[in-house]
Amino acid sequence: MLEQSPMPVLDIPSLRDKVSPAEWQARVNLAACYRLIALYGMSDMIANHISARVPGEEGAFLINAYGLLYEEITASSLIKIDVKGNILLKPDFGELNYGVNRAGFVIHGAIHEASHEIDCVIHTHTWPGMAVSSLECGLLPMNQTAMRFLKIGYHDYAGVVLDTAMQAKLVEDLGSNNALILRNHGLLTVGKTIAEAFNAMHRLELSCRAQLAALACNAKIIQVPQHVLEETYMNYQPQTRRPYGVMEWPALLRRLDRIDPSFRN
């Protein structure tokens, strides 16, 4: 029987000694978020982006290299750029010489520049998210999880997000929400922490999947009274509960460590 060859992996030199301890921890958590998005079926090959603010560096954030699968992302493979798209620190990718996807800089740079409270931005192109984004009704509050997003924002499609002129409208449509549906496009969530943003995206994705499953039954949907919707929505807001992600993030990291701890490299 032939021996199976080991799966090829990228050999990217560690950046741990070239960044601050705070930045390194942010890199580890962001790499974990990429792996989790892939693990939960929300990645789109090398497309889409997750970004995280660099602690202590005004206007700097971390983002994926355009060319890596989410399951390949490590702490050292992330590129540090500023809100104008300038590269501040780039890993050694050898002959591959990966860079940053412009759409990632335009979307994420806009939000990081507009709100210093937001540490993480996640954007996805999942089939449930794209499907709901294409429905005129948008996301329906037909179950408890979806009620968390009762006041979700919407951003009308105006082409591939490559022009910085699109940034102001994107920020305006997000407003003070932690989630935004990009019409005919996909989903976006933000958070004061990486864990918080991932929690929001996981729940938003579940809401979209549940809606499509229910609508596919071609049966009457039970309508929840508006006052109950409002009360449920308020139960999910920051002023009424602990921050999202606090409890589940350590457990999620343990899961990743059991599967493949290379995200920490």
Side-chain angles (χ1 to χ4, degrees):
M1 182 176 180
L2 294 175
E3 291 187 7
Q4 189 173 12
S5 300
M7 295 182 64
V9 295
L10 291 176
D11 184 17
I12 299 173
S14 176
L15 293 179
R16 186 164 192 168
D17 295 335
K18 296 183 179 181
V19 301
S20 68
E23 179 179 332
W24 183 253
Q25 187 57 55
R27 284 174 169 272
V28 170
N29 281 325
L30 183 56
C33 192
Y34 275 101
R35 298 289 184 99
L36 287 166
I37 289 289
L39 183 63
Y40 283 90
M42 293 185 282
S43 63
D44 182 13
M45 293 193 290
I46 64 170
N48 296 147
H49 328 88
I50 311 172
S51 64
R53 189 181 300 278
V54 177
E57 292 192 35
E58 183 69 24
F61 63 95
L62 303 167
I63 199 165
N64 56 315
Y66 192 39
L68 294 181
L69 296 173
Y70 279 22
E71 64 195 46
E72 297 181 294
I73 302 281
T74 65
S76 295
S77 74
L78 297 162
I79 298 177
K80 178 161 61 173
I81 66 176
D82 65 19
V83 293
K84 302 304 180 184
N86 300 306
I87 293 179
L88 305 177
L89 179 61
K90 181 179 176 180
D92 180 6
F93 294 114
E95 294 180 355
L96 295 173
N97 196 29
Y98 290 136
V100 175
N101 180 284
R102 180 169 176 80
F105 140 65
V106 173
I107 294 172
H108 294 251
I111 296 172
H112 285 298
E113 185 173 23
S115 178
H116 292 185
E117 291 187 354
I118 292 174
D119 268 4
C120 181
V121 181
I122 302 176
H123 172 44
T124 63
H125 285 172
T126 63
W127 66 263
M130 290 190 291
V132 170
S133 78
S134 304
L135 297 177
E136 186 175 349
C137 64
L139 184 67
L140 300 174
M142 59 169 58
N143 57 66
Q144 180 174 277
T145 301
M147 292 174 202
R148 168 178 168 179
F149 303 103
L150 182 66
K151 303 182 188 300
I152 194 169
Y154 291 87
H155 178 70
D156 288 338
Y157 188 74
V160 179
V161 188
L162 300 175
D163 190 343
T164 54
M166 299 180 178
Q167 291 180 313
K169 182 59 175 171
L170 181 71
V171 170
E172 177 187 342
D173 290 337
L174 175 62
S176 60
N177 287 313
N178 72 338
L180 181 69
I181 292 180
L182 307 175
R183 293 281 194 187
N184 310 101
H185 186 171
L187 307 176
L188 184 144
T189 61
V190 303
K192 294 181 179 179
T193 65
I194 294 170
E196 188 174 274
F198 177 78
N199 180 290
M201 182 57 75
H202 184 259
R203 297 298 193 275
L204 182 56
E205 175 74 6
L206 286 179
S207 299
C208 291
R209 292 184 184 187
Q211 176 170 322
L212 296 176
L215 294 179
C217 295
N218 196 29
K220 186 175 181 179
I221 305 298
I222 299 172
Q223 299 297 314
V224 178
Q226 186 63 33
H227 75 276
V228 176
L229 294 177
E230 296 285 348
E231 291 172 2
T232 305
Y233 169 78
M234 290 306 301
N235 283 334
Y236 283 114
Q237 299 315 297
Q239 63 268 32
T240 58
R241 69 179 316 280
R242 65 178 176 275
Y244 288 106
V246 171
M247 293 191 68
E248 65 266 37
W249 192 250
L252 289 168
L253 293 183
R254 291 194 298 271
R255 184 180 185 191
L256 287 179
D257 281 329
R258 290 192 298 271
I259 297 171
D260 178 5
S262 65
F263 71 93
R264 296 182 179 275
N265 295 343

